[in-house]
Amino acid sequence: MSIFEYAPAPESRSVVDLKPAYGLFIDGAFVDGSAGSFKSVNPATEEVLAEVAMGDASDVDRAVAAARRAYDEVWSRLPGRERAKYIFRIARLIQERARELAVLESLDNGKPIRESRDVDVPLAAAHFFYYAGWADKLPYANLGPDPKPLGVAGQVIPWNFPLLMLAWKVAPALACGNTVVLKPAETTPLTALLFAEICQQADLPPGVVNIVTGAGATGAAVVGHPGVDKVAFTGSTEVGRLIAKQVAGTAKKVTLELGGKAANLVFDDAPLEQAVEGIVDGIFFNQGHVCCAGSRLLVQESVAEEVVDRLRERMKTLRVGDPLDKNTDIGAINSAEQLAKIQTLSEAGEAEGATRWSPPCELPERGFFFAPTIFTGVSQAHRIAREEIFGPVLSVLTFRTPAEAVEKANNTAYGLSAGVWTDKGSRILWLAQRMRAGVVWANTFNRFDPTSPFGGYKESGYGREGGRHGLEAYLDV
Amino acid sequence: MCLVTAQLAAPDDAGLRRLLHGLPPVDQVGAEARAAKLGTRSIKTTAKAQALDLAVRMVDLTTLEGADTPGKVRALCAKGIRPEPDQPTCPSVAAICVYGDMVPTAKAALAGTGVKVAAVATAFPSGRAPLAVKLADTVAAVEAGADEIDMVIDRGAFLAGRYAAVAEEIAAVKAACRTGGRDAHLKVILETGELATYDNVKRASWLAMLSGADFIKTSTGKVSPAATLPVTLLMLEAVRDFRAQTGRQVGVKPAGGIRTAKDAIKYLVTVNETAGPDWLDPDWFRFGASSLLNDLLLQRRKLATGVYSGPDYVTVD
Amino acid sequence: MSKKPAVAPAPRSSVRKTYKLYIGGAFPRSESGRSYPVTAPSGEFIANAAQASRKDARDAVRAARAAQPGWAKATAYNRGQILYRIAEMLEERRDQFAHQIAEVEGLELDAAHAQVDAAIDRWVWYAGWSDKLSQVLGAANSVAGPYWNISSPEPTGVVALLAPATPTLLGLTSVIAPAIVGGNAVVAVAPDACGLPAVTLGEVMATSDLPGGVVNILTGSTAELAPWLASHLDVNALDLAGVEAGSELARDLEVAAAENLKRVVRPSAGYDWEADPGLSRVKPFLETKTVWHPIGI
């Protein structure tokens, strides 16, 4: 690469005006939390970005009360077309402040600026646009003649796509006439707080959106609050299970979007170049912090060697490093804790006899980084083929026949997504029919769209987000 | 790939069809998405300076007009030798590309400069002429001193599945390039805009390489679309895979439609990340262009001086 | 001549039916060998029913899992035909069911007939849904890119159904039919007195071209069987229809079901089994699968 070494191309941080401390956003205003504060850290440098208020049960109580008031007095009484205008405004404000949101997201999360700029933020705006349009058309959604909002939605979101997951939760909730108490992830609260400012700029009535920052206990308080009518959670299957237990016996409506261990199936007639891109996109997009990541590559044995060779060559061009550099492909792992988990599972992979490979790449000295990694010689029995690693680590397995591919692909407790790569139309449909997964990408991978329902089978959770189907989670039909 | 050897020895349509259609297919959307993503690389400061100079050195400065005259060609040659008369650090272009009858003029104007003469031949741009005419066209250009021959494939034959005819013609032109003991480099123009699908581009690339092409070139510049980034990406993948299988390196030349330095840099990024640094050399990658050079020069000035330049400060030839 | 004493002809004793379970298309006894007496509301003994055990539940889940892929793969048209066939068979046995229901529920014969009619009509209603679900519940999504994108409903897999004690036939029908119409296989617990009509319904199903294992019926105690089904990791969904709303049992079962994130239909107090059910019991047992494919040449 010495002939053409890319000089650093850093995105400017100056667009973001970080405050030293952030409060909770309750009833339209920023207020102090009752349980002190915690630090949000830039995972690429380990510098503290800001102090953020730690919300406790009493804060959640205030937020739910504000949401209930806003629901009863304002939001549920507004005609759909008026709700729509607020949501459209929010969408526009996200577009207007896109650069700021993208830089802040990369600072707080560690994801490459190219992804926050080209994927997260535009998709977040698109979600608000999409659901804004539904607000006055709910009776046409084919869900029942007179769909009604549920009330107060308690929403808990993960750290992998902070703003985008906020959009997936808040946009349909508001469109359907609910009000919201949202708990962002502990390690990535900042874009949600910037979103709170956007709600203010949009003149959204106070209490319609409330944001309570904090950790697991704060989330549990939101989920368990008796004034919450609807619980929406995206995160690990482990926590999803706890939530399902917590709400058992209540009348709360629940949607859960949980973990995955997606199989990405490559047949010998596949468009191999594009398949390799799909594999790379599938596992290295967002450092592999993607619930629907294609973390199990299942290749037909006859082309396995060729595919892996091409994959290795391609991986050599991946650029790991400063998330704010516009040429970075793989940024920072979100937290020290997550990095440790990835390391542990990777070591388990080696210990169990799989062959580990990473391209030569220099990792920054500070911050949490992990080189893109593939394991070959993996079998279904290995931990790295069964457990969600949630990092840039791919397990490569092989199959001989379509039936074996399907059997191995479905041999998991998860069922969020799957990929199939083959040039034969009838085989694509045959495979798509048999994948026990909520999203099947055929000859593509990791595509998202506000119109396209997303959600899992089995232990990947229930309910759908996105599209017409996503409305049902927020309506009493 | 024993089919390859067999086909080189005695090409036949059915055998070539099996070979070419056995190549992994191309998904259009995926290929275009990959090209677009490569296009988002941000090349700044020193890397940009390096890229601009490299791009200048890769230009086949081209004039292919019915109205071409010796005067026009000589002016173009002068520009190609010293694109920036007042800046000695600015490199020369790779070649001047002209019609066959202009080869003597260009050859004389470029003598001793290292800038090559490339001639389009074989009934350029349509390729619709008897083989004998195409070969005579080639021989005349080579004898007049052309260092490089840019031929067009018979797209009609290709689209009709007469792959052997295409292969034999390329091989025959290649032989004609060796007229009089010379060894003019053969660039094979696929005219990808007429091939319509990426699968065809990939197959035509392989067919040309198997038949002896030294370079594969996207377009004549007379058909729209001419060069595109996805097409060039596919061709770069093809030359990379071809070298891996046969050991022979083939060059790539996108031609037509590349007008800005920004575009040229996207192509260089694509070369770098697809075929690899081995191709980042005028011997292995060229831009067929007329107006690109001036934009490269404007950007070069901007980078050197820090202020935006204007068309009055670069020469019009 | 000796005179034989005059003997009155012996009255004919009826041949009683042994009520067994319906698992995998067969009618086995409970592996536990247990039975329980089914009595009329008046207390009068009617018959013994097989009292299913946790092992019977396990076997039933296994049978359902084995049958489910084939049932899902059958054409929607074919599934609709079979559900309709069940309605036909029920109609033929209308009087038999009416008498049985009248006996176990202590109903007037008219009311029992009305319940059978409602159950038959419900089978017909669901039969017609089989090939319309994907049209009504699916979608073609206009994504912002060159992709074909279709969402369609698919069965969730194996569903455990806790049928209400009454109305016996209508309740059972109202939980089984919506679950199987979309391609699921089910294990239904028919509690207490419901067990008798349930097994008779099993006989109807066994003669209606319904593949064995698609519907499995366990008679016995909901309290005993439900925890095993709720916690079974190879069960994908749970209908708590027959459990008292707000009860400790309902909560415990939902907690157990959370272990593998089963889809749960909670019980609702005062549920009206005669009302139009809409798709409220169909949708919870369907997944939405969204398939993407690039559009190009």
Side-chain angles (χ1 to χ4, degrees), chain A residues 1-9 114 269-274 277 281 310 314 317 319 326-327 329 423 443, chain B residues 24-27 30-31 34 37 40-47 50-51 237 240-241 268-269 272-273 277 280:
Chain A
M1 299 281 277
S2 58
I3 295 173
F4 189 19
E5 191 59 66
Y6 306 158
R114 198 187 61 205
D269 66 339
L272 287 187
E273 287 294 336
Q274 289 73 45
E277 280 311 303
D281 232 0
R310 284 172 186 264
R314 175 67 178 86
T317 68
R319 304 171 68 87
K326 290 176 232 172
N327 291 325
D329 298 312
D423 204 38
N443 291 324
Chain B
V26 181
D27 182 77
R34 170 68 178 140
K37 202 168 172 186
T40 66
R41 286 290 193 220
S42 182
I43 304 302
K44 301 286 186 207
T45 62
T46 50
Q50 208 179 13
E237 289 165 359
R240 176 200 63 197
D241 292 350
L268 293 182
V269 165
N272 191 34
E273 299 198 26
L280 280 175

Side-chain angles (χ1 to χ4, degrees), chain B residues 12 18 25 52-54 60 79 134 163-165 196 234 283 287:
Chain B
D12 74 284
R18 274 199 300 281
L52 290 173
D53 277 7
L54 181 59
D60 279 5
K79 168 122 183 176
K134 296 182 187 179
Y163 300 129
L234 291 186
D283 283 350
F287 292 107

Side-chain angles (χ1 to χ4, degrees), chain A residues 296-313:
Chain A
R296 279 186 301 149
L297 174 63
L298 281 160
V299 200
Q300 192 160 3
E301 214 168 308
S302 52
V303 287
E305 206 177 322
E306 182 179 355
V307 168
V308 172
D309 282 348
R310 284 172 186 264
L311 179 61
R312 286 203 182 104
E313 286 306 310

Side-chain angles (χ1 to χ4, degrees), chain A residues 9-60:
Chain A
E11 178 64 64
S12 169
R13 272 185 70 155
S14 64
V15 67
V16 170
D17 181 18
L18 265 176
K19 298 185 182 82
Y22 288 87
L24 310 172
F25 183 66
I26 295 176
D27 212 10
F30 284 96
V31 298
D32 289 339
S34 308
S37 67
F38 62 99
K39 295 170 171 42
S40 195
V41 169
N42 178 344
T45 60
E46 302 177 51
E47 69 170 310
V48 174
L49 292 167
E51 292 277 336
V52 179
M54 178 70 84
D56 69 4
S58 68
D59 298 315
V60 170

Side-chain angles (χ1 to χ4, degrees), chain B residues 206-296:
Chain B
W206 275 83
L207 188 58
M209 293 187 293
L210 287 169
S211 310
D214 298 305
F215 253 78
I216 48 176
K217 176 176 168 183
T218 59
S219 323
T220 60
K222 306 292 183 191
V223 164
S224 183
T228 66
L229 197 54
V231 155
T232 309
L233 168 71
L234 291 186
M235 289 166 62
L236 287 162
E237 289 165 359
V239 295
R240 176 200 63 197
D241 292 350
F242 185 77
R243 187 179 72 172
Q245 283 196 18
T246 66
R248 188 165 82 82
Q249 187 163 343
V250 174
V252 175
K253 177 178 170 184
I258 305 166
R259 296 191 181 86
T260 66
K262 194 175 175 182
D263 280 348
I265 289 174
K266 288 181 184 178
Y267 279 82
L268 293 182
V269 165
T270 306
V271 174
N272 191 34
E273 299 198 26
T274 308
D278 287 357
W279 270 265
L280 280 175
D281 186 291
D283 283 350
W284 301 111
F285 194 78
R286 297 279 180 86
F287 292 107
S290 45
S291 59
L292 169 65
L293 180 60
N294 269 355
D295 197 57
L296 289 169

